[in-house]
Amino acid sequence: MGTEHTTAVEISEPLLADDKIRDVEFESSESIPEWKDQITIRGLVVSALMGTIFCIITHKLNLTVGIIPSLNVAAGLLGFFFVKSWTGFLSKLGFSVQPFTRQENTVIQTCVVACYGLAFSGGFGSYLLAMDERTYNLIGADYPGNRAEDVKNPGLLWMIGFLFVVSFLGLFSLVPLRKVMVVDYKLTYPSGTATAMLINSFHTNTGAELARKQVSCLGKYLSISLFWSCFKWFFSGVGDACGFDNFPSLGLTLYKNTFYFDFSPTYVGCGLICPHIVNCSVLLGAIISWGFLWPFISQHAGDWYPADLGSSDFKGLYGYKVFIAISLILGDGLYNLIKIISITVKELSSNSIKQINLPVVKDNSDSNTSKLLVEQRKRDDVFLKDRIPSWVAASGYVGLAAISTATIPIIFPPLKWYLVLCSYIIAPALAFCNSYGTGLTDWSLASTYGKVGLFIIASMVGSNGGVLAGLAASGLMMSIVSTAADLMQDFKTGYLTLSSAKSMFVSQLVGTAMGCVIAPLTFWLFWEAFDIGSPDSPYKAPYAVINREMAILGVEGFSELPKHCLAICCGFFVAALVINLLRDVTPAKVSQFIPIPMAMAVPFYIGAYFAIDMFVGTVILFVWERWNRKDAEDYAGAVASGLICGDGIWTIPSAILSIFKVNPPICMYFGPSVSN
């Protein structure tokens, strides 16, 4: 889902070699449940519970750093953990329980991913929050293009309604192409494949022992993380300067430049899940910005910009932070968008040539080849057996598009119905490009497509409502291409676990419906309990300001940037393009050490503290891999999931305490020693 799964940066699982897929042997005697039996009441209850936890985790990451690691594997692991615990408990009480199958495990994982995906694509840390009054005030009422009329504060009812009218279209847009993407083109979908391998290993006799150990490991680290987060709360006082979250672990001088370890299990867990290059890119971005660039620009206060400005004034240092981050994100996004569309076109044309010119030769002389062909045929038969008629997909898309075209202008008056209709006409093509690119690279560019929509619509509508229209259009486009890619990713998981395509599609619909309610409700918990969007809050919501500034930029141009800001932005934009080009043209042994610009951009705006945490996670994983690679491969995901989920669960009681104005009893504060 997914770096914002950006913006956030969509983080990928490692690519899995084809031979790993072949390692999974399906027992010929295995009976495959009917598609209706794969969807169970207990599965839906577990999905709702996990969807709530994962939505909270996604909101927390969205509102703090904006980097969302892929949580597909964690969803498969936690689904197994919850249902096995439940069935084991009932068995001990003497109840007869329905066997827990790999298909049910897959359906739960699909439902959860669809649910928490809306916490990301719903824009609660980006475009929806960019519309609110706090972000408007942060940019400043006197800032050209930032109009009070372009404000729409979060409201539970309109957010739920908006999600219901835009979130289902992506599911219907590509359903007829599932055979082409998964069976004909055999796209990898690395995260989906990794999840399938995990689920298959849980439900074979050989993998049962490892599964039990992984679940035990996850439970242990979840408990440790939950206890530590609870312990930290008692010292966090009132305000943003207290507790372990502000521990000057590298000294007070570096602390002033946001370089400190803040003891966050979530960010350390992210460091364990994200590839090493992502974590190192984030740290490099922090060093370049907070170590060198901001101190250098600060020395020119009074010359490049007025020296007496507040810390969140866009005419000062804050403007450099936001716009340079935007230039890096746009450079990276634009490069990858062009690259993936060109790869898609090239692959499609080469596939069509192969299908026309090359006869299929079946060689059954090798017994292993024959066995693989039998397994593949079985997967194909199961995947294609329960068909979803094309007319259902087409009529569903047209009907939902009609409802959405009529409804969205009521919610967002500047976004006229004909602009919504045009978006829905071109959206399936963009959804296909994103899904195909995700299948090849595991890199979803939903947020990039959203930004393209934002700029185009904002400039078309102009100064009279362009900001609000652009932000709403960004959400509309992002929602369609994101859910379409998630659906295909889950279809790949279902294909490899012998799950029915119909049960996968239904569970996607159910999970999306859950997400339309759970994601706004869990966001509302944060909105009511914390000072969302304030530069002094832990929940800075970095992408809210960035998205609103992008919309203003689309309408107004570059007129109000501080001195030399545009030149520096152009330099970083070109640097992002060059770095990406170098990553593609250099050999793999060199390119693996070249940083990722989109990951580098995040700390430019937020600070370096979370980069330190993620780097600690990557160092732990690096040492673990050198010490015992097999253990690291088997348990790193479980440890990371436990750390992230434990910290995420603690957010619920801490938010409730905050709503009831129960403050932590102690403020642990650090300052320089004063000699007498």
Side-chain angles (χ1 to χ4, degrees):
M1 258 243 136
T3 137
E4 284 171 332
H5 172 351
T6 139
T7 267
V9 178
E10 284 82 3
I11 307 299
S12 63
E13 294 293 330
L15 285 167
L16 287 155
D18 288 342
D19 56 347
K20 284 200 176 184
I21 299 173
R22 294 170 190 158
D23 287 343
V24 181
E25 294 186 9
F26 295 111
E27 299 169 27
S28 56
S29 60
E30 179 188 5
S31 62
I32 297 165
E34 286 298 311
W35 76 267
K36 289 180 183 176
D37 297 329
Q38 295 174 21
I39 303 168
T40 61
I41 298 296
R42 71 183 178 196
L44 294 178
V45 171
V46 166
S47 299
L49 175 64
M50 285 173 55
T52 304
I53 294 170
F54 277 48
C55 276
I56 288 168
I57 291 166
T58 305
H59 286 318
K60 183 170 182 178
L61 290 170
N62 248 336
L63 296 171
T64 50
V65 298
I67 290 183
I68 317 294
S70 175
L71 298 172
N72 294 42
V73 170
L77 179 59
L78 269 174
F80 181 81
F81 169 69
F82 278 122
V83 178
K84 273 294 181 185
S85 303
W86 176 246
T87 53
F89 176 69
L90 289 181
S91 296
K92 285 179 181 175
L93 294 178
F95 292 98
S96 64
V97 289
Q98 182 183 340
F100 182 42
T101 61
R102 73 181 79 196
Q103 288 79 16
E104 187 182 353
N105 204 161
T106 305
V107 163
I108 292 170
Q109 180 267 338
T110 300
C111 203
V112 172
V113 169
C115 180
Y116 92 79
L118 287 183
F120 163 65
S121 65
F124 297 101
S126 54
Y127 64 85
L128 280 190
L129 216 51
M131 301 174 184
D132 83 331
E133 197 171 350
R134 290 178 190 174
T135 308
Y136 162 76
N137 289 328
L138 196 58
I139 292 174
D142 59 340
Y143 192 84
N146 189 36
R147 306 186 320 146
E149 293 87 345
D150 291 322
V151 167
K152 189 170 183 66
N153 285 314
L156 209 49
L157 290 178
W158 78 255
M159 289 192 301
I160 292 173
F162 177 67
L163 288 184
F164 267 109
V165 296
V166 302
S167 299
F168 292 91
L169 280 106
L171 302 180
F172 286 96
S173 62
L174 294 188
V175 166
L177 297 179
R178 74 186 190 286
K179 177 180 180 292
V180 175
M181 308 280 259
V182 175
V183 178
D184 297 344
Y185 292 157
K186 295 181 172 58
L187 294 174
T188 314
Y189 288 103
S191 287
T193 301
T195 309
M197 296 304 100
L198 182 80
I199 291 172
N200 282 331
S201 71
F202 286 164
H203 297 274
T204 56
N205 292 330
T206 51
E209 180 60 24
L210 176 61
R212 189 186 62 76
K213 289 179 179 176
Q214 284 176 324
V215 165
S216 171
C217 179
L218 183 141
K220 181 170 80 174
Y221 281 92
L222 188 149
S223 305
I224 291 170
S225 175
L226 182 61
F227 172 78
W228 172 245
S229 300
C230 175
F231 177 77
K232 280 202 307 179
W233 178 83
F234 285 94
F235 299 90
S236 57
V238 180
D240 191 39
C242 305
F244 286 93
D245 291 346
N246 294 275
F247 196 102
S249 40
L250 302 175
L252 287 168
T253 306
L254 284 173
Y255 172 77
K256 287 175 185 172
N257 279 342
T258 72
F259 283 93
Y260 57 92
F261 178 61
D262 77 345
F263 297 92
S264 167
T266 295
Y267 303 150
V268 174
C270 286
L272 282 165
I273 287 182
C274 293
H276 293 305
I277 189 61
V278 170
N279 299 316
C280 293
S281 300
V282 170
L283 184 63
L284 179 62
I287 292 168
I288 290 170
S289 54
W290 292 89
F292 297 101
L293 191 58
W294 306 152
F296 171 75
I297 293 175
S298 298
Q299 289 172 4
H300 292 81
D303 176 16
W304 289 14
Y305 60 92
D308 56 346
L309 297 177
S311 62
S312 59
D313 194 310
F314 275 84
K315 293 181 174 65
L317 182 62
Y318 194 68
Y320 292 94
K321 292 178 183 178
V322 171
F323 285 105
I324 292 172
I326 288 174
S327 63
L328 270 174
I329 290 166
L330 289 180
D332 189 289
L334 184 66
Y335 180 91
N336 281 293
L337 185 62
I338 295 168
K339 171 186 161 185
I340 285 184
I341 288 175
S342 61
I343 289 172
T344 301
V345 172
K346 184 180 173 185
E347 287 283 324
L348 287 174
S349 58
S350 65
N351 268 318
S352 60
I353 291 166
K354 284 177 198 169
Q355 288 178 355
I356 293 167
N357 296 334
L358 298 179
V360 178
V361 179
K362 291 186 180 179
D363 180 9
N364 290 334
S365 56
D366 187 322
S367 61
N368 286 332
T369 306
S370 176
K371 187 175 180 183
L372 285 171
L373 283 171
V374 169
E375 286 177 4
Q376 185 176 320
R377 201 170 294 121
K378 184 176 182 181
R379 287 196 190 107
D380 292 349
D381 290 345
V382 171
F383 188 67
L384 300 173
K385 185 181 74 163
D386 297 315
R387 295 186 179 279
I388 303 158
S390 295
W391 66 266
V392 170
S395 57
Y397 187 84
V398 171
L400 286 166
I403 294 167
S404 190
T405 303
T407 309
I408 288 178
I410 298 171
I411 303 173
F412 302 109
L415 189 60
K416 304 301 182 187
W417 67 269
Y418 50 86
L419 295 174
V420 179
L421 185 61
C422 290
S423 300
Y424 286 142
I425 291 170
I426 63 167
L430 298 178
F432 174 79
C433 288
N434 192 44
S435 298
Y436 198 100
T438 305
L440 293 171
T441 64
D442 210 34
W443 198 264
S444 173
L445 294 175
S447 56
T448 304
Y449 287 100
K451 288 180 189 65
V452 171
L454 184 153
F455 276 113
I456 292 171
I457 299 296
S459 59
M460 284 174 67
V461 174
S463 57
N464 189 21
V467 171
L468 204 59
L471 291 168
S474 162
L476 186 147
M477 194 61 69
M478 192 168 145
S479 179
I480 292 174
V481 299
S482 178
T483 50
D486 286 348
L487 177 68
M488 284 299 162
Q489 186 100 260
D490 288 327
F491 270 146
K492 180 70 175 185
T493 305
Y495 173 76
L496 294 172
T497 57
L498 296 175
S499 302
S500 162
K502 192 175 280 187
S503 70
M504 301 296 290
F505 184 64
V506 171
S507 67
Q508 274 275 353
L509 289 173
V510 173
T512 303
M514 285 180 180
C516 289
V517 177
I518 292 172
L521 283 173
T522 47
F523 169 75
W524 203 248
L525 191 69
F526 282 89
W527 181 256
E528 290 294 311
F530 305 111
D531 188 15
I532 304 296
S534 165
D536 299 322
S537 161
Y539 297 99
K540 294 178 177 66
Y543 286 100
V545 168
I546 286 173
N547 273 260
R548 191 171 183 92
E549 274 294 341
M550 283 182 183
I552 293 171
L553 210 58
V555 173
E556 294 287 319
F558 299 95
S559 57
E560 286 298 308
L561 297 186
K563 196 174 180 182
H564 302 304
C565 185
L566 183 58
I568 298 171
C569 286
C570 289
F572 276 95
F573 180 84
V574 172
L577 298 177
V578 171
I579 291 169
N580 272 303
L581 188 63
L582 285 173
R583 283 178 60 82
D584 285 340
V585 298
T586 52
K589 61 183 179 183
V590 177
S591 65
Q592 64 178 331
F593 297 110
I594 297 176
I596 299 168
M598 195 174 283
M600 289 171 64
V602 181
F604 271 68
Y605 175 80
I606 301 160
Y609 57 92
F610 80 96
I612 305 286
D613 292 12
M614 290 178 70
F615 189 70
V616 167
T618 218
V619 168
I620 292 169
L621 182 61
F622 181 81
V623 172
W624 195 356
E625 285 171 340
R626 293 296 174 276
W627 178 49
N628 189 331
R629 178 167 284 277
K630 185 167 188 322
D631 257 19
E633 287 174 356
D634 288 344
Y635 298 110
V639 171
S641 301
L643 290 174
I644 293 170
C645 292
D647 200 19
I649 290 168
W650 171 250
T651 304
I652 302 171
S654 71
I656 291 168
L657 288 169
S658 181
I659 288 167
F660 286 105
K661 304 289 187 263
V662 178
N663 294 318
I666 303 166
C667 173
M668 185 172 70
Y669 174 77
F670 297 89
S673 59
V674 181
S675 56
N676 292 324

